Amino acid sequence: MHLLKQTDSRDYSRVAKEHGLSYTSIQNSVHSKLDTLIEEAQLATLDEVEAIIIDEFAIKKKHKYAVALTDPINGKLIDILSSRKKKDLIEYFNTWPEELREQIKYFSMDMWSPYKAVAETVFPNAQIVVDKFHLVTAINNALDKLRIQEQDKQTAANRKKFYKSRLTLLMAGEDLDDDSHQRLIEIFKLSPALEKAWELKEEFRDLLQIPDIKESIEALNHWYEKVSQAKLNLFYKAKRTVKNWEENIINYFRIRITNGFA
């Protein structure tokens, strides 16, 4: 700590000369102490953590990701990690004291199975929650893929209409103005399948807003039925994804934690 204080207002070379040490030894000593102080400060912050959001973000092209860990209850950034690999995340979390890992009640994530495996390994008491924003994105992706399929069947003039409507289709229904509604009506006349898909997207968004857990589950089951009736292959796939994560989606209905803070 003495050397660390010495370097607060003076450069490493001068401190090294005064103490008869090398520049590298001063640098290593200071960095080692700083790492310890940072770790101690982080552990003190973790004492308050009951919920964790894990969310990756791109730092380079070609799928190079870093991972942000945040605390949605206390509104704090916990850490930024350079890897999202399962083994690296497990190794990182295992550096936390066991009692801290046991106090984590909620773990919010997207639908990436390695994250779930990590949570089940290192947080024995945590309920795993699928983030609703990633759910909506999955449904939107199915809708947009169907839009592309239906667009390819149209004349050149109508293909332009479909393309220009791509963002309108993904907007929340309550945010559409009169012009946007009219644009959708025009393409729905050309593609009843796209209209069914849009309605499924809106119904899924609506069920995520229902505050009562029993009603939410009933609405989800009703949505499954509507998907089956619609007979749209891309939404069969979306339904399968939702069913695979159903337990963790129901946890969202109970807890209402999302990745929104991250």
Side-chain angles (χ1 to χ4, degrees):
M1 182 63 77
H2 172 71
L3 290 176
L4 180 62
K5 290 181 178 178
Q6 291 285 307
T7 59
D8 186 42
S9 57
R10 293 181 293 171
D11 62 50
Y12 290 177
S13 297
R14 184 173 176 184
V15 174
K17 186 176 181 180
E18 289 177 357
H19 291 271
L21 299 170
S22 68
Y23 177 95
T24 301
S25 65
I26 296 294
Q27 183 183 52
N28 291 342
S29 177
V30 169
H31 288 187
S32 175
K33 188 61 182 178
L34 283 174
D35 287 343
T36 301
L37 290 174
I38 291 169
E39 185 176 342
E40 289 172 353
Q42 186 183 53
L43 289 175
T45 300
L46 289 173
D47 281 338
E48 307 169 356
V49 176
E50 292 186 346
I52 291 175
I53 293 171
I54 186 166
D55 212 348
E56 72 267 8
F57 57 96
I59 54 175
K60 287 183 180 179
K61 293 181 180 179
K62 298 184 179 179
H63 305 289
K64 175 63 177 176
Y65 294 97
V67 173
L69 302 177
T70 53
D71 172 1
I73 295 176
N74 298 300
K76 293 181 179 179
L77 174 67
I78 297 172
D79 211 340
I80 299 288
L81 309 179
S82 60
S83 171
R84 65 172 184 164
K85 291 180 180 177
K86 182 174 76 172
K87 77 175 183 56
D88 293 337
L89 291 172
I90 290 173
E91 183 178 323
Y92 167 80
F93 284 122
N94 277 333
T95 64
W96 292 13
E98 185 176 358
E99 61 270 22
L100 287 179
R101 290 189 284 111
E102 289 178 348
Q103 79 185 18
I104 303 301
K105 296 179 181 177
Y106 315 114
F107 188 89
S108 182
M109 51 170 278
D110 63 20
M111 292 172 288
W112 200 54
S113 54
Y115 287 162
K116 183 179 181 183
V118 169
E120 290 171 341
T121 301
V122 299
F123 298 122
N125 300 320
Q127 295 187 59
I128 300 170
V129 181
V130 168
D131 171 55
K132 75 169 184 177
F133 298 110
H134 286 89
L135 284 168
V136 171
T137 297
I139 302 303
N140 281 347
N141 287 341
L143 175 60
D144 195 51
K145 287 178 182 177
L146 182 63
R147 188 265 310 166
I148 293 170
Q149 287 182 0
E150 293 296 294
Q151 177 179 303
D152 289 343
K153 300 175 184 177
Q154 306 300 318
T155 64
N158 287 336
R159 283 200 296 272
K160 288 181 181 179
K161 290 181 181 179
F162 276 67
Y163 181 75
K164 289 180 178 179
S165 299
R166 67 195 187 283
L167 298 180
T168 306
L169 282 164
L170 303 182
M171 288 175 62
E174 63 272 17
D175 293 337
L176 296 173
D177 58 22
D178 290 342
D179 288 342
S180 298
H181 271 294
Q182 187 57 42
R183 195 177 303 128
L184 293 186
I185 289 170
E186 288 181 19
I187 65 171
F188 290 161
K189 286 179 181 177
L190 297 166
S191 173
L194 196 56
E195 182 174 12
K196 288 180 184 179
W198 184 83
E199 289 172 351
L200 288 171
K201 182 265 292 188
E202 286 298 298
E203 187 170 329
F204 191 83
R205 286 185 57 257
D206 289 343
L207 71 85
L208 293 175
Q209 312 305 318
I210 299 171
D212 181 77
I213 180 172
K214 183 179 178 182
E215 290 181 17
S216 297
I217 294 172
E218 288 174 354
L220 181 60
N221 288 327
H222 179 70
W223 184 80
Y224 290 151
E225 292 174 7
K226 292 283 288 289
V227 172
S228 297
Q229 293 166 6
K231 297 181 179 179
L232 301 171
N233 286 336
L234 286 165
F235 272 77
Y236 281 143
K237 292 178 182 178
K239 172 185 171 181
R240 188 161 58 247
T241 298
V242 172
K243 271 191 166 293
N244 287 342
W245 291 91
E246 185 177 81
E247 178 184 348
N248 308 112
I249 293 169
I250 291 173
N251 283 343
Y252 163 72
F253 294 154
R254 293 191 182 98
I255 300 160
R256 301 291 166 173
I257 284 177
T258 75
N259 285 29
F261 174 72

